[in-house]
Amino acid sequence: MIVKRIRAELSRYLPEGVSFKVEAPPREELGDYATNAALVASGRLGRPPREVAQELAERLSARTDLFSRVEVAGPGFVNFWVAPAYWQSVVARVLSEGKDYGRSDLGAGRRVQVEFVSANPTGPLHIGHGRGAAVGDTLARLLSFAGFEVVREYYINDRGRQMDILGRSVWLRARELSGEKVAFPEDHYRGEYIKDLARRLLEREPDLLDRPEEEALALCREFALREILDEIKRDLEDFGVTYDVWYSERKLYEKGEVEEALSALSAAGHLYEKDGALWFRASAFGDEKDRVVRRASGEPTYFASDIAYHREKFLKRGFDVVVDVWGADHHGYVPRLRAVLSALGIDPGRLRVLLIQMVNLIEGGELKSMSTRAGEFVTLRELVDEVGRDAVRFTFLTRKCDAPLDFDVELVKSQSSENPVYYVQYAHARLASVFRKAEEVGLSLPSPEGVPAHRLDTTEDFRLLKLLDAFPVVIEEAAENLEPHRLTYFLLDLATALHDYYTKHRFISEDGELSRARLALARAVKQVLATGLNLLGVSAPERM
């Protein structure tokens, strides 16, 4: 929080609207924090940067409750050394606020929809979907903790060509199971789960193959859709992911949303006919080319559905911000969707899109090849069953979502410092053992007001205190930038500092006052670890 305090103090003496940075300097001897405020404000003030910096340093030096030293450096940087008493006061803050420490009003109640996973219900969730689930769910938790009103949503693509192919795939497998020789098309779904669906459907509907083809195909399609969607829901719930809304694409058509959206675009002059198809003038709004919204056959495109869906989100349900978590293969889709929002009079900046890069699964030191259509992939369920939900979720969040992720199964199953989730969870469990020991020796934790924090004066104490102080800022930055991996990095840093502290200092000693101070610090660190892990959807074990 000291960063926010420094920014607030600086803003009192700077012209309104000046944008400046407050960050850790490149070397520790240059202070705890440094700012370029004087450099960026000098032009507005019409004064040399060092002169502005000197004035800022003199004014801020009076805040002895915050700073022990304030100095000017280089061409006009201001460096800050934070007062030890400020760092030591962090423990009481954490203990007083408990589970709410780090909670923020950044969102001010603004309504945000996070739509994530939304995998076509044509097969089980694979590990790529799992990464999107971990990112979307954690982001929703972070946004809620940061003061936004969040709605979690799954968009069900339950109509169109893919559903027809799914139904036909099941129908063909049913014919095979009945002894017929069938030429199975390359573009159909070939996984073993299709055979399982066909087998179950034949048990339920033994006269399936005696029915007219159109009727049988419809029955196969609806059965497969329902069964696969139920499995998706179970897998996500077992992965710690729940939704507020399951939104059916079919409902868009039943409610007339698609035709209404296309009519709005047409009335505004943004649609035209060419080669029998209906086109949207996407190139007029920054896209590389115009896009078809209705084919010559009269069938609307998937893009038409997405136009209606996003129009409904903004104009009818009134979301302030919409966050779409998509696979990386949707990269080219972003400009056309932003283009149509502009055409509809909706600020495209209100749409935030996260693209989830692929997961490379490594087993026995070898990369596993995967193909969804061919049915050669590792399901999310299989991975969770093998290594555990906590390990999967945490590992999926150890990289920025637009970077590929290597998931090494053996490493994630290991109980060592090389395994990031074990490393962080062990820090929490280690502190839990400290409190069990304190209880054995009859040592109680002081009230927040009674913490003898002045005894927390070692290098390792201050390292932990600085990290605790930074936690609320990490939450806000992770939420504002839609980067949940920032929290994972922070927890790894905090766990590293805790393990280092544990090897150098005793939490419980013959010095009663020092023991109480260190137990208070331990409780604060334990609380922040637990809060951070909970936001990641990962458990905080008391024993390991």
Side-chain angles (χ1 to χ4, degrees):
M1 296 288 282
I2 188 63
V3 172
K4 295 180 75 172
R5 297 285 296 274
I6 294 172
R7 293 187 66 85
E9 287 297 317
L10 288 167
S11 296
R12 293 172 59 194
Y13 307 114
L14 296 174
E16 189 175 347
V18 171
S19 179
F20 57 90
K21 294 180 180 179
V22 176
E23 53 193 2
R27 300 192 307 278
E28 286 187 8
E29 62 266 26
L30 296 178
D32 295 310
Y33 292 96
T35 182
N36 65 344
L39 292 164
V40 297
S42 62
R44 292 268 300 274
L45 294 170
R47 297 165 57 193
R50 277 192 66 89
E51 183 180 310
V52 176
Q54 190 60 49
E55 182 177 333
L56 288 174
E58 289 173 2
R59 292 187 176 190
L60 295 174
S61 292
R63 290 300 308 268
T64 55
D65 58 324
L66 294 181
F67 310 116
S68 58
R69 271 167 69 193
V70 183
E71 292 183 356
V72 176
F77 290 100
V78 181
N79 294 351
F80 303 90
W81 283 259
V82 177
Y86 173 85
W87 294 130
Q88 291 160 344
S89 70
V90 173
V91 172
R93 271 209 323 271
V94 180
L95 297 184
S96 296
E97 296 179 29
K99 293 180 179 179
D100 287 328
Y101 182 69
R103 192 178 290 278
S104 165
D105 61 358
L106 173 73
R110 283 177 289 167
R111 300 187 69 236
V112 179
Q113 185 225 42
V114 182
E115 186 238 310
F116 60 108
V117 182
S118 298
N120 290 342
T122 54
L125 296 179
H126 56 63
I127 59 175
H129 297 136
R131 188 181 186 191
V135 169
D137 182 63
T138 301
L139 184 59
R141 292 169 186 245
L142 280 166
L143 288 167
S144 180
F145 202 63
F148 293 87
E149 182 185 327
V150 180
V151 172
R152 297 165 167 86
E153 189 152 313
Y154 189 113
Y155 180 65
I156 309 168
N157 296 103
D158 52 5
R159 69 177 302 280
R161 183 170 179 271
Q162 296 305 315
M163 297 312 301
D164 290 340
I165 291 176
L166 174 66
R168 182 168 287 275
S169 298
V170 173
W171 182 64
L172 291 173
R173 290 305 189 199
R175 288 167 57 189
E176 282 184 343
L177 290 170
S178 299
E180 185 179 342
K181 258 197 159 182
V182 173
F184 203 87
E186 283 293 324
D187 66 345
H188 282 38
Y189 296 99
R190 310 173 71 85
E192 282 298 313
Y193 69 94
I194 296 294
K195 293 180 182 178
D196 292 338
L197 287 169
R199 189 176 294 110
R200 297 207 304 271
L201 182 55
L202 282 171
E203 290 173 359
R204 182 177 301 186
E205 304 287 345
D207 65 339
L208 174 70
L209 301 180
D210 297 329
R211 301 188 185 198
E213 181 175 324
E214 187 173 334
E215 181 184 335
L217 286 171
L219 187 58
C220 289
R221 183 177 62 246
E222 294 308 307
F223 176 77
L225 168 63
R226 186 173 61 253
E227 292 291 304
I228 291 173
L229 194 56
D230 285 346
E231 183 180 353
I232 286 173
K233 289 180 179 180
R234 286 194 299 272
D235 287 351
L236 287 169
E237 286 176 4
D238 290 345
F239 196 48
V241 177
T242 57
Y243 290 88
D244 302 299
V245 177
W246 292 81
Y247 198 105
S248 164
E249 183 183 4
R250 289 179 184 177
K251 293 289 176 61
L252 281 173
Y253 286 86
E254 292 171 6
K255 294 190 299 181
E257 295 286 353
V258 177
E259 285 306 314
E260 185 179 311
L262 296 183
S263 295
L265 288 172
S266 180
H270 301 315
L271 301 183
Y272 65 92
E273 291 189 11
K274 176 184 172 184
D275 301 328
L278 189 63
W279 296 70
F280 165 57
R281 300 182 193 277
S283 59
F285 297 93
D287 196 8
E288 60 181 4
K289 61 182 180 180
D290 293 348
R291 306 290 179 175
V292 176
V293 293
R294 185 183 289 127
R295 300 182 180 90
S297 65
E299 177 69 16
T301 61
Y302 285 117
F303 183 43
S305 298
D306 283 336
I307 291 171
Y309 181 43
H310 283 80
R311 178 176 181 269
E312 192 261 5
K313 292 184 189 188
F314 285 110
L315 298 186
K316 297 199 173 179
R317 285 194 276 166
F319 290 112
D320 297 299
V321 177
V322 166
V323 180
D324 287 342
V325 181
W326 293 344
D329 56 342
H330 286 69
H331 181 272
Y333 213 80
V334 179
R336 75 186 74 169
L337 198 49
R338 292 193 189 282
V340 83
L341 291 179
S342 295
L344 290 167
I346 300 166
D347 177 7
R350 291 167 62 190
L351 173 67
R352 307 281 297 276
V353 178
L354 297 185
L355 297 173
I356 307 295
Q357 278 289 349
M358 65 184 296
V359 178
N360 300 312
L361 191 66
I362 300 170
E363 282 192 298
E366 294 185 0
L367 181 66
K368 294 198 70 167
S369 61
M370 286 180 268
S371 167
T372 306
R373 183 60 61 89
E376 299 169 355
F377 57 86
V378 177
T379 67
L380 175 61
R381 168 74 63 183
E382 289 170 333
L383 189 60
V384 169
D385 286 347
E386 182 167 1
V387 304
R389 183 174 92 181
D390 286 348
V392 176
R393 286 191 64 124
F394 194 98
T395 305
F396 279 161
L397 295 163
T398 53
R399 294 287 182 276
K400 195 173 180 180
C401 67
D402 60 3
L405 174 74
D406 290 339
F407 195 108
D408 189 324
V409 173
E410 276 69 34
L411 174 63
V412 171
K413 289 167 70 174
S414 68
Q415 295 187 355
S416 72
S417 60
E418 299 300 314
N419 178 356
V421 64
Y422 177 83
Y423 191 65
V424 174
Q425 287 183 313
Y426 184 54
H428 185 271
R430 183 171 243 180
L431 289 173
S433 72
V434 168
F435 286 102
R436 288 194 293 272
K437 178 65 176 176
E439 188 175 354
E440 288 175 11
V441 299
L443 191 60
S444 60
L445 189 71
S447 66
E449 301 78 20
V451 175
H454 64 282
R455 298 297 303 274
L456 302 173
D457 56 5
T458 70
T459 299
E460 291 75 29
D461 284 313
F462 286 119
R463 186 182 177 196
L464 283 173
L465 292 168
K466 290 176 183 180
L467 284 166
L468 293 177
D469 182 69
F471 181 62
V473 176
V474 171
I475 295 295
E476 289 194 352
E477 290 179 346
E480 196 166 27
N481 295 290
L482 307 183
E483 292 182 340
H485 70 280
R486 291 184 184 224
L487 176 56
T488 313
Y489 289 0
F490 170 84
L491 291 176
L492 285 165
D493 286 344
L494 184 58
T496 298
L498 184 279
H499 290 311
D500 181 57
Y501 191 100
Y502 196 90
T503 62
K504 294 178 180 176
H505 302 287
R506 295 168 59 196
F507 283 101
I508 301 172
S509 66
E510 294 75 20
D511 186 331
E513 184 182 61
L514 180 60
S515 296
R516 288 193 296 275
R518 287 181 172 173
L519 279 178
L521 175 61
R523 175 59 57 85
V525 173
K526 185 172 181 283
Q527 178 60 67
V528 169
L529 285 169
T531 301
L533 286 168
N534 180 63
L535 288 169
L536 297 180
V538 175
S539 67
E542 295 288 313
R543 299 175 187 270
M544 289 180 74

